[in-house]
């Protein structure tokens, strides 16, 4: 019998279906090539700006890379085109395999023993996550269409052949051939931020449109949004109410003793297995099982009142125990001192003894604070200064973005405002409380500069420009002297500014329709780039939002676990929170490892599983809830 099935390639996908993927790859290549010039300009400018940061080897590398790129941009474009074409074709072929790679996409390949290779992968992963997050919907919809066309499971972002990782790797490989200095590759990759790199949004949109025209899931966007809709959640009784109903169905004065005893035993079993509590501390808490059982059965409020002395005792044991060295465990002298204090707990569960022991444990937990006072005050002073500077820089950035996001400001003026005038604005915001007029003058100078480079459509506007230019240039130069921006780049900026002013003075009273269209198209393109950068930043912020909410709940005295570079763990106590909650000062045991973190750095560490918050209050309450779920189910 003849075989009428369509012949298949090694990938297991029909050739006609693979052909469409190849067509998409070449389309993505053409669309990318149209952006090469803009990408190269932005990259060269970013490298040049980084090269001004400080006089160091890295700054010199940045300047050298920028100059090399400006001189040989045609060569870079050719290498980038070759590398991108190869990467895209390999990516669509891999998608056609419809199988899981032995090394899951996005996982760290431990065979990369070369540190530079590992660092390069981490850098590409971080950049690609930011870019993909900004284009999440377009990527997801494209994955749905590709999966439908291949008659396979959904193609997720990590398997999508048009994800940012493919483009970034191609750009990195192209640069490796373009500049043989291996040290420059990390620096160049670092600058390929969403606002600098190829704008993948329009490319993904075009690919989706191509598939929709071919009737490949033409309604995929609507289907994706429908699935993303938030379901309506039903309300359930609180955990506390569930506990009351189960322990005391006839009212809290009639707690069933057998249930109470069984629940408490289950709660201690939960604590004994709780890996979030250090093992040595778990052993200390286990020693409280008998006295707490007696206390709870004698006073049923134990089950319903968070501030019950017996429950506070468990919290105090955990808090004091976190100061112990996790590696020494029970051999730590501090652990031995805590154990000695707990030996004084009344085995009959007397609440009087609980209060006295809680006070002793709290004293142990804060030991060494007096000796730390001098260093802590210096750390607080430094953190306060940094917060004030950070707030001023943030306000300056917002001032600039508000003026350039429409896309109407010329590129060279945008760059000047973002990298140089923002420093002047930061200074002005920092002195606003004592000299408010400074900020007013600096903002006016920025607005006047933007006005000065706009087309002048009549003789009155051109005459106004001539009259205002001397004062404007004098103001700009005076403030640039304050922030010490000097050298060839400053000269180049004012040279280009002079040309723009001269052009404005020569401009005819009425622009031709073609000139108006060109100006409008430039504005639209730049506004789109700013919007994409804004969306990328919003996506990055969203990725940290849950962690930042947890950080907002931190209070002075909270304990956090940090993972050291060698993999070891250390517990540190939060000693101080800045007024704006953007800086946090931590100290290890007895003032060791005094350090400051920003809220963003802390959130990034939590996201990377290198930091976690110890829940040192409500320990018994959480254990009771877990035990209840185990007994009666969810």
């Amino acid at each position: 019998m003849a075989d009428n099935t369509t012949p298949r390639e090694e990938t297991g996908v029909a050739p006609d279906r693979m052909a469409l993927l190849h067509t998409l790859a070449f389309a993505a290549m053409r669309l990318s090539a149209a952006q090469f010039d803009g990408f190269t300009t932005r990259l060269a400018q970013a490298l040049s700006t980084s090269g001004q940061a400080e006089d160091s080897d890295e700054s010199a590398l940045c300047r050298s890379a920028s100059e090399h790129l400006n001189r040989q941009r045609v060569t870079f474009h050719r290498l980038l085109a070759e590398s991108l074409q190869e990467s895209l074709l390999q990516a669509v072929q891999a998608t056609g395999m419809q199988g899981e790679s032995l090394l899951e996409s996005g996982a760290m390949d431990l065979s990369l023993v070369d540190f530079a290779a590992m660092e390069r992968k981490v850098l590409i992963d971080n950049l690609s996550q930011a870019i993909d997050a900004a284009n999440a919907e377009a990527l997801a919809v494209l994955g749905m269409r590709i999966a439908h066309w291949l008659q396979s499971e959904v193609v997720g972002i990590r398997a999508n052949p048009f994800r940012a990782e493919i483009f970034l790797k191609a750009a990195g490989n192209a640069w490796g051939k373009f500049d043989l200095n291996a040290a420059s590759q990390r620096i160049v990759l670092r600058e390929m931020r969403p606002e600098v790199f190829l704008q993948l949004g329009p490319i993904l949109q075009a690919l989706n449109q191509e598939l929709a025209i071919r009737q490949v899931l033409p309604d995929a966007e609507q289907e994706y949004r429908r699935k993303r809709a938030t379901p309506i959640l039903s309300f359930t009784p609180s955990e506390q109410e569930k506990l009351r109903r189960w322990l005391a169905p006839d009212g809290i004065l009639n707690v069933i003793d057998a249930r109470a005893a069984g629940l408490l035993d289950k709660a201690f079993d939960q604590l004994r297995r709780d890996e979030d509590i250090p093992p040595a501390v778990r052993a200390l808490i286990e020693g409280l099982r008998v006295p707490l059982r007696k206390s709870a059965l004698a006073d049923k409020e134990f089950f319903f009142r968070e501030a019950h002395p017996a429950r506070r005792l468990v919290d105090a044991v955990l808090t004091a125990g976190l100061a112990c060295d996790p590696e020494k465990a029970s051999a730590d002298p501090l652990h031995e001192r805590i154990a000695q204090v707990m030996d004084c707990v009344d085995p009959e569960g007397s609440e009087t003894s609980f209060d006295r022991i809680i006070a002793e444990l709290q004293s142990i937990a804060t030991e060494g604070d007096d000796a730390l006072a001098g260093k802590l005050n210096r750390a607080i002073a430094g953190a306060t200064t940094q917060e004030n500077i950070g707030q001023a820089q943030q306000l300056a950035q917002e001032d600039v973005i508000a003026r350039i996001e429409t896309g109407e400001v010329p590129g060279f003026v945008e760059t000047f405002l973002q990298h140089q005038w923002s420093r002047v604005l930061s200074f002005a915001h920092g002195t606003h409380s004592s000299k408010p007029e400074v900020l007013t003058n600096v903002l006016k100078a920025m607005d006047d500069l933007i006005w000065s480079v706009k087309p002048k459509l009549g003789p009155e506007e051109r005459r106004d420009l001539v009259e205002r230019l001397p004062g404007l240039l004098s103001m700009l130069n005076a403030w640039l002297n304050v922030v010490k921006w000097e050298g060839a780049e400053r000269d180049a900026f004012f040279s280009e500014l002079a040309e723009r002013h001269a052009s404005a003075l020569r401009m005819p009273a009425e622009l031709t329709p073609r000139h108006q269209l060109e100006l409008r198209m430039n504005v639209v393109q730049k506004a789109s780039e700013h919007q994409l950068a804004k969306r990328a930043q919003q996506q990055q912020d969203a990725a940290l939002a849950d962690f930042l909410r947890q950080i907002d709940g931190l209070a002075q005295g909270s304990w956090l676990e940090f993972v050291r570079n060698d993999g070891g763990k250390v517990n540190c106590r939060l000693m101080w929170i800045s007024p704006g909650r953007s800086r946090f000062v931590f100290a290890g045991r007895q003032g060791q490892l005094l350090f400051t973190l920003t809220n963003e750095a802390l959130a990034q560490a939590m996201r990377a599983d290198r930091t976690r918050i110890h829940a040192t209050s409500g320990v018994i309450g959480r254990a009771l809830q877990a035990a209840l779920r185990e007994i009666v189910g969810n």
Side-chain angles (χ1 to χ4, degrees), residues 231-251:
I232 299 174
L233 301 176
S234 59
F235 291 94
T236 58
S238 68
E239 295 289 342
Q240 183 77 340
E241 183 60 26
K242 287 181 181 179
L243 180 62
R244 289 182 184 275
R245 290 179 184 178
W246 187 77
L247 274 181
D250 297 324

Side-chain angles (χ1 to χ4, degrees), residues 281-345:
V281 180
R282 276 183 257 160
L284 292 172
I285 293 175
E286 177 64 23
L288 295 174
R289 183 187 287 255
V290 173
L292 258 65
R293 190 173 190 271
K294 292 183 177 181
S295 176
L297 293 178
D299 180 6
K300 303 303 192 303
E301 277 296 307
F302 170 91
F303 293 98
F304 310 113
R305 186 160 62 92
E306 191 69 50
H308 192 281
R311 292 173 69 155
R312 290 193 296 111
L313 175 60
V314 177
D315 293 347
V317 172
L318 175 57
T319 301
L322 289 175
C324 298
D325 187 337
E327 296 177 358
K328 293 181 180 178
S330 58
D332 189 329
L334 183 59
H335 182 278
E336 294 178 5
R337 285 184 56 201
I338 296 172
Q340 290 171 1
V341 171
M342 292 180 60
D343 285 341
C344 300
V345 173

Side-chain angles (χ1 to χ4, degrees), residues 537-585:
Q537 184 59 53
Q538 289 172 341
Q539 293 289 348
Q540 286 180 305
D541 293 343
L544 296 179
D546 287 342
F547 302 104
L548 289 170
R549 277 192 288 271
Q550 293 180 49
I551 291 169
D552 283 342
L554 288 175
Q556 186 173 330
S558 298
W559 283 85
L560 284 78
E561 177 186 86
F562 293 88
V563 179
R564 295 192 295 251
N565 291 335
D566 62 1
K569 298 177 180 179
V570 60
N571 294 319
C572 295
R573 184 157 53 101
L574 178 54
M575 305 299 294
W576 178 81
I577 304 173
S578 65
R581 296 191 69 87
S582 70
R583 299 294 190 279
F584 299 82
V585 178

Side-chain angles (χ1 to χ4, degrees), residues 5 176 217 228 285 334 350 368 410 497 581 596:
T5 59
L217 289 184
R228 294 277 293 179
I285 293 175
L334 183 59
S350 165
L497 184 62
R581 296 191 69 87
T596 303

Side-chain angles (χ1 to χ4, degrees), residues 368-383 575-576 585-596:
D369 283 6
D370 291 341
L372 181 63
K375 289 196 296 183
L376 179 60
N377 288 336
R378 289 191 292 273
I380 290 173
M575 305 299 294
W576 178 81
V585 178
F586 294 92
R589 173 180 172 182
Q590 295 181 339
Q592 300 169 3
L593 301 175
L594 188 69
F595 59 95
T596 303

Side-chain angles (χ1 to χ4, degrees), residues 267-283 285 318 322 326 561 569 571 612-615 619 622-623 626:
F268 268 92
D269 291 342
Q270 291 283 342
L271 293 173
R272 193 175 65 245
R273 298 191 300 266
D274 189 346
E275 294 185 357
D276 288 339
I277 301 176
V281 180
R282 276 183 257 160
I285 293 175
L318 175 57
L322 289 175
E561 177 186 86
K569 298 177 180 179
N571 294 319
R612 68 182 181 91
I613 300 171
H614 282 296
V619 177
R622 290 190 298 276

Side-chain angles (χ1 to χ4, degrees), residues 310-616:
R311 292 173 69 155
R312 290 193 296 111
L313 175 60
V314 177
D315 293 347
V317 172
L318 175 57
T319 301
L322 289 175
C324 298
D325 187 337
E327 296 177 358
K328 293 181 180 178
S330 58
D332 189 329
L334 183 59
H335 182 278
E336 294 178 5
R337 285 184 56 201
I338 296 172
Q340 290 171 1
V341 171
M342 292 180 60
D343 285 341
C344 300
V345 173
D346 184 356
E348 297 302 315
S350 165
E351 293 186 9
T352 305
S353 72
F354 291 168
D355 288 332
R356 177 174 50 80
I357 290 168
I358 288 170
E360 291 187 40
L361 291 173
Q362 290 173 341
S363 176
I364 290 175
T366 58
E367 231 173 41
D369 283 6
D370 291 341
L372 181 63
K375 289 196 296 183
L376 179 60
N377 288 336
R378 289 191 292 273
I380 290 173
T384 302
T385 299
Q386 289 301 313
E387 178 171 80
N388 292 337
I389 292 173
Q391 289 174 342
Q393 290 174 338
Q394 178 64 30
L395 291 171
Q397 186 180 33
E398 291 172 2
D399 288 337
V400 172
I401 290 174
R403 287 161 173 81
I404 68 174
E405 63 182 356
T406 61
E408 296 175 332
V409 179
F412 81 101
V413 177
E414 269 194 15
T415 302
F416 168 76
L417 294 177
Q418 288 177 306
H419 300 290
Q420 305 305 333
W421 200 250
S422 61
R423 297 161 60 202
V424 176
L425 284 165
S426 296
F427 175 84
H429 278 291
T431 59
H432 183 249
S433 59
S434 58
K435 298 180 180 178
E437 71 280 1
V438 171
L439 180 59
T440 302
N441 294 336
V442 169
L443 288 171
K444 183 178 184 303
M446 175 167 60
D447 292 335
D448 287 349
L449 171 62
I450 294 171
W451 169 84
S452 76
V453 294
K454 289 182 177 179
K456 301 296 175 280
L457 303 181
E460 291 184 4
E461 287 189 2
R462 292 196 285 274
R463 186 164 49 249
D464 193 15
L465 175 60
V466 171
E467 292 175 355
R468 292 165 62 176
L469 266 182
L472 171 62
L473 295 176
S474 176
M475 175 71 76
L476 293 176
N477 277 294
W479 278 110
L480 293 174
N481 289 338
V482 171
V483 298
K484 295 181 171 55
W485 186 47
E486 301 170 346
E489 289 216 351
R490 176 170 169 174
D491 295 338
F493 167 74
F494 278 102
S495 175
E496 189 167 359
L497 184 62
E499 291 178 8
R500 182 58 65 101
H501 288 156
S503 176
L505 291 172
R506 292 193 301 269
M507 188 164 288
E510 293 186 4
L511 298 175
T512 64
R514 179 175 180 178
H515 195 175
Q516 290 178 353
L517 178 61
E518 289 176 353
L519 289 175
R520 186 59 191 160
M521 290 300 294
N522 287 336
V523 168
V524 170
Q525 182 178 354
K526 287 170 59 182
S528 176
E529 291 174 358
H530 287 310
Q531 188 62 28
L532 287 170
K534 184 178 180 180
R535 285 178 57 196
Q537 184 59 53
Q538 289 172 341
Q539 293 289 348
Q540 286 180 305
D541 293 343
L544 296 179
D546 287 342
F547 302 104
L548 289 170
R549 277 192 288 271
Q550 293 180 49
I551 291 169
D552 283 342
L554 288 175
Q556 186 173 330
S558 298
W559 283 85
L560 284 78
E561 177 186 86
F562 293 88
V563 179
R564 295 192 295 251
N565 291 335
D566 62 1
K569 298 177 180 179
V570 60
N571 294 319
C572 295
R573 184 157 53 101
L574 178 54
M575 305 299 294
W576 178 81
I577 304 173
S578 65
R581 296 191 69 87
S582 70
R583 299 294 190 279
F584 299 82
V585 178
F586 294 92
R589 173 180 172 182
Q590 295 181 339
Q592 300 169 3
L593 301 175
L594 188 69
F595 59 95
T596 303
L597 287 177
T598 65
N599 57 343
E600 184 176 352
L602 189 55
Q604 291 283 11
M606 291 172 66
R607 186 185 181 197
D609 291 329
R610 298 195 59 86
T611 302
R612 68 182 181 91
I613 300 171
H614 282 296
T616 55

